[in-house]
Amino acid sequence: MQQLLIYNTLSHQKELFKPITPDHVGMYVCGPTVYGDGHLGHARPAITFDVLYRYLRHIGYKVRYVRNITDVGHLEHDADEGEDKIAKKARLEQLEPMEVAQYYTNRYHAAMDALNVLRPSIEPLASGHVMEQIELVQRILDAGYAYVSNGSVYFDVRKYHEDFKSYGRLSGRVIEEMLSTTRDLDGQEEKRFSGDFALWKKAQPEHIMRWNSPWSVGFPGWHTECTAMGTKYLGETFDIHGGGMDLMFPHHESEIAQQTSVCGHGPCRYWMHNNMITINGQKMGKSLGNFITLDEFFTGKHELLTQAYAPMTIRFFILQAHYRSTVDFSNEALVAAEKGYTRLMQAYKTLGRLQPSKSSSVDVSGYRQLCYDAMNDDLNTPIVISHLFDMAKVINTVYDKKATLSQADIDELKGVMDTFVFEVMGLRDESAKDNTALVDGLMKMILDARATAKANKDWATSDKIRDELGALGVTVKDGKDGATYELN
RNA sequence: GGUCGUUUGGCCGAGGGGCUAGGCACAGGUCUGCAAAACCUGCUACUCCGGUUCAAAUCCGGAAGCGACCUCCA
């Protein structure tokens, strides 16, 4: 098995990956909050951890990959204080909250499918695990690390920190600092310490999504779902927990605190965080209003986009940067990615047409290991891609008859490309994307040629065209102003 | 303001004490009926100022720019 190094946010260094249970990996990744369309920022972790998931499986692990759907909780920060985001959107659109969640979940799935992101093994809904979250809150209360205040339950950060000395370790935060930098929040008076966070929140009258609990009718706190569902499906300790860097604090820090307070240790061995995507140097985010949805990328319908970008272009673009680096969006960079990606796909097709020689004039034996080395070094997909381009050059050189490859070496290159391009990096050939314009153009050409034939009274040709198109499922309809067509 | 990170060629982006990615763009060439593609060649860069070293883009110190986080966020 390959020796995989992954960067652990907890230790700030690359560590050799060793699963708790031999040959099995449990990984949990924070999924989307389904109250809006997915944007590039959602694609980054999805693709990053999709590649990790694919690679772990490729090198022989059996992986249980859990990625949640957040359809409850999460307080609004501004205007509508304390209102559940889902509920707010529902009221605005006059829809049932769960209808909104379902709608955006479906849209999210469609976008992820387009990006060739594999579905996780389990995709639990927060709303389906309120019981588990209530139980978790009770356990934390029983352990003495939470307190009830006016129907809400808060985590006692100070007590936790006194006993475990670890709050802030993941994010490199100093707890004392938090006192002076905390903003005012709704319900802050209910807390003993400004750094305490809600485990259960009593619902205000305007809340639509609400559940019974021992403390009040309300909804679960911001960080409980991942702890509850991670524990339920992966156990008290699992291997990898992933998510965006912006979730490090407070979300993941709080997850660690919740889990540690009831079982003495954090939820996982390796924390992995992907970096952000920026647009004009600024973070792309829902609340900043500067985001471009994935659908807008696919259709090109956004003022910042000069053209539509195929899902695979987006995927390739993201994989061309290392996951821990920020990536700045620009049309120029995307166009460059699109061209490079096309070149790679073209080389793969060319590979299938190469004439084998008796012997090879180039040594291609090293590429496979070079690709593994790059992947093993904290999923360095940009390096993998650079090796793939080197291979593309070899392929093209052979195609130009300036070098030779034996059948065995051609097969080796094909094997390496199949493995890394398609299986591990999850790219797929998408040259046949949206064909509408193409078909229109082709049909115009054909019908023009037929019109010429008809003008020349060449009925044999014009009928042949009509009959053969008909056999292909295209009906030609002659009219006074020329012919039109219809696809059956 | 605090904490952390970052600054690489026209652009995107790896690397991270001496070898030195890759893509895109651009220029010249080969091939070609013309074009495209492909191939060859060129473009050899690391914010600035000090320091360590035989050797620094890489390590150390400082400055500046940029960014992220500091209880919505992937």
Side-chain angles (χ1 to χ4, degrees), chain A residues 62-326:
Chain A
K62 185 165 179 1
V63 185
R64 181 179 293 163
Y65 175 20
V66 178
R67 189 185 63 204
N68 63 301
I69 295 273
T70 298
D71 58 349
V72 296
H74 288 262
L75 302 176
E76 276 285 348
H77 178 240
D78 33 53
D80 303 88
E81 296 176 342
E83 188 177 5
D84 189 310
K85 275 181 178 171
I86 302 285
K88 181 191 175 196
K89 194 87 178 181
R91 225 181 41 202
L92 292 176
E93 297 186 357
Q94 296 298 307
L95 293 167
E96 274 298 315
M98 287 310 284
E99 192 178 357
V100 174
Q102 186 67 58
Y103 173 79
Y104 286 116
T105 299
N106 292 346
R107 306 255 305 164
Y108 178 76
H109 282 153
M112 291 303 122
D113 288 348
L115 290 168
N116 206 22
V117 170
L118 298 173
R119 299 279 177 105
S121 323
I122 301 176
E123 195 171 42
L125 299 178
S127 64
H129 296 76
V130 175
M131 285 294 286
E132 286 84 350
Q133 295 178 69
I134 289 173
E135 283 166 19
L136 170 69
V137 174
Q138 189 60 58
R139 285 180 69 197
I140 298 172
L141 275 168
D142 293 346
Y145 292 101
Y147 55 90
V148 181
S149 176
N150 192 28
S152 292
V153 184
Y154 292 96
F155 190 88
D156 192 338
V157 170
R158 280 186 303 193
K159 179 169 196 313
Y160 169 75
H161 191 68
E162 273 167 28
D163 292 355
F164 293 97
K165 306 282 181 229
S166 66
Y167 196 74
R169 194 175 139 219
L170 178 73
S171 54
R173 216 152 294 258
V174 183
I175 190 167
E176 291 73 19
E177 216 176 81
M178 291 171 57
L179 272 168
S180 53
T181 56
T182 302
R183 297 178 192 169
D184 284 344
L185 243 201
D186 172 50
Q188 182 158 316
E189 314 73 41
E190 295 177 352
K191 299 183 193 175
R192 294 178 188 167
F193 170 57
S194 57
D196 293 349
F197 55 89
L199 296 171
W200 183 264
K201 193 86 172 134
K202 182 180 173 183
Q204 300 301 306
E206 64 269 25
H207 274 94
I208 307 172
M209 297 189 101
R210 46 175 66 208
W211 289 266
N212 277 315
S213 79
W215 315 288
S216 64
V217 174
F219 50 92
W222 318 336
H223 317 298
T224 57
E225 65 179 272
C226 292
T227 301
M229 300 192 295
T231 302
K232 173 162 183 169
Y233 298 114
L234 298 170
E236 262 188 10
T237 310
F238 50 90
D239 296 298
I240 299 168
H241 191 128
M245 267 183 186
D246 51 345
L247 294 179
M248 239 156 71
F249 187 88
H251 184 56
H252 292 158
E253 200 71 72
S254 302
E255 274 188 56
I256 291 173
Q258 287 171 166
Q259 184 79 341
T260 305
S261 70
V262 293
C263 45
H265 56 75
C268 68
R269 307 242 299 233
Y270 304 89
W271 283 92
M272 294 178 73
H273 292 95
N274 62 275
N275 214 319
M276 303 291 104
I277 283 181
T278 58
I279 181 159
N280 297 324
Q282 203 184 21
K283 189 174 83 165
M284 180 182 284
K286 281 171 197 158
S287 54
L288 293 170
N290 67 345
F291 66 94
I292 307 173
T293 69
L294 290 168
D295 268 5
E296 285 165 344
F297 271 104
F298 301 160
T299 59
K301 293 193 176 99
H302 189 284
E303 57 176 4
L304 289 170
L305 301 176
T306 54
Q307 62 167 85
Y309 297 100
M312 280 308 108
T313 299
I314 304 288
R315 186 169 180 118
F316 188 75
F317 174 65
I318 287 175
L319 292 177
Q320 264 192 310
H322 188 257
Y323 75 91
R324 284 190 289 113
S325 301
T326 54

Side-chain angles (χ1 to χ4, degrees), chain A residues 329-360:
Chain A
F329 154 85
S330 71
N331 279 289
E332 207 181 352
L334 273 173
V335 168
E338 182 178 55
K339 289 189 179 172
Y341 171 66
T342 304
R343 185 170 135 87
L344 200 57
M345 284 302 125
Q346 202 55 50
Y348 180 76
K349 283 181 202 159
T350 302
L351 178 60
R353 293 198 293 264
L354 289 186
Q355 292 299 313
S357 302
K358 283 205 169 65
S359 65
S360 299

Side-chain angles (χ1 to χ4, degrees), chain A residues 1 4 6 17-28 52-53 55-57 59-66 121 233-234 238-241 270:
Chain A
M1 185 164 307
L4 171 63
I6 62 181
F17 176 70
K18 276 192 202 142
I20 295 162
T21 310
D23 303 329
H24 288 72
V25 178
M27 62 185 266
Y28 186 99
L52 175 62
Y53 178 42
Y55 189 59
L56 287 170
R57 296 207 305 184
I59 61 180
Y61 290 109
K62 185 165 179 1
V63 185
R64 181 179 293 163
Y65 175 20
V66 178
S121 323
Y233 298 114
L234 298 170
F238 50 90
D239 296 298
I240 299 168
H241 191 128
Y270 304 89

Side-chain angles (χ1 to χ4, degrees), chain A residues 340-393:
Chain A
Y341 171 66
T342 304
R343 185 170 135 87
L344 200 57
M345 284 302 125
Q346 202 55 50
Y348 180 76
K349 283 181 202 159
T350 302
L351 178 60
R353 293 198 293 264
L354 289 186
Q355 292 299 313
S357 302
K358 283 205 169 65
S359 65
S360 299
S361 64
V362 279
D363 180 13
V364 300
S365 63
Y367 288 118
R368 184 182 294 273
Q369 194 54 49
L370 285 171
C371 289
Y372 276 116
D373 290 346
M375 283 304 293
N376 289 338
D377 186 14
D378 195 30
L379 308 181
N380 200 328
T381 53
I383 293 292
V384 174
I385 289 171
S386 80
H387 294 315
L388 292 169
F389 275 114
D390 287 344
M391 291 164 64
K393 182 164 270 187

